[in-house]
Amino acid sequence: MSLEADRLMLRTAVEEARAGLAEGGIPIGAALYGPDGATLLGRGRNRRVQDGDPSMHAETAAFRAAGRRRSYRGTTMVTTLSPCWYCSGLVRQFGISRVVVGENRTFEGGHGWLADHGVQIVILDDPECAALMQEFIAARPDLWNEDIGL
Ligand SMILES: [Zn+2]
């Protein structure tokens, strides 16, 4: 998969994050793409605030939107922020092959653990993703701490 394709997939996740922010939610977005790196299977955003559901993370929202699938081999989960343990568990549980991470400056999730278990990890270190989270955390530290369980 090319870096260009990965950056293009990240755009979808960023759109989701921005939509979440506009709804008063936590600006984390994600999308699940097919093995060709271009077919969008599902997209979603963190919906803790919107749904009152702390288990509705961006990755789980994208995963649920994709519906049922026999195999996740070759699929890519793209997310604006390094995946938490819960979402890293989802990636391993269902055998998602790749995870593209927008940034891991704000939050160091489970991507190292995923890499240790054969998941291909690409960290784009995207400045827009980092700025989005940093601005959000500065504005709503209470909500951010609630989300990461502090
Ligand atoms: Zn998560």
Side-chain angles (χ1 to χ4, degrees), residues 57 59 84 86-87:
H57 287 196
E59 298 89 332
C84 74
Y86 164 59
C87 294

Side-chain angles (χ1 to χ4, degrees), residues 76-116:
T76 297
M77 178 68 82
V78 55
T79 177
T80 55
L81 185 65
S82 175
C84 74
W85 289 113
Y86 164 59
C87 294
S88 296
L90 180 139
V91 167
R92 276 206 70 194
Q93 173 69 33
F94 293 95
I96 293 168
S97 297
R98 304 177 74 236
V99 176
V100 173
V101 176
E103 65 114 344
N104 66 326
R105 300 183 208 175
T106 306
F107 181 76
E108 184 76 19
H111 64 261
W113 175 75
L114 287 172
D116 288 345

Side-chain angles (χ1 to χ4, degrees), residues 24 26 48-49 136-150:
I26 298 166
R48 168 183 287 269
V49 174
F136 167 74
I137 292 165
R140 296 298 310 275
D142 53 326
L143 192 49
W144 170 244
N145 287 337
E146 180 189 319
D147 195 54
I148 60 173
L150 289 179

Side-chain angles (χ1 to χ4, degrees), residues 67-73 94:
R68 289 170 59 184
R69 198 178 168 82
R70 181 65 190 88
S71 167
Y72 292 86
R73 189 172 302 131
F94 293 95

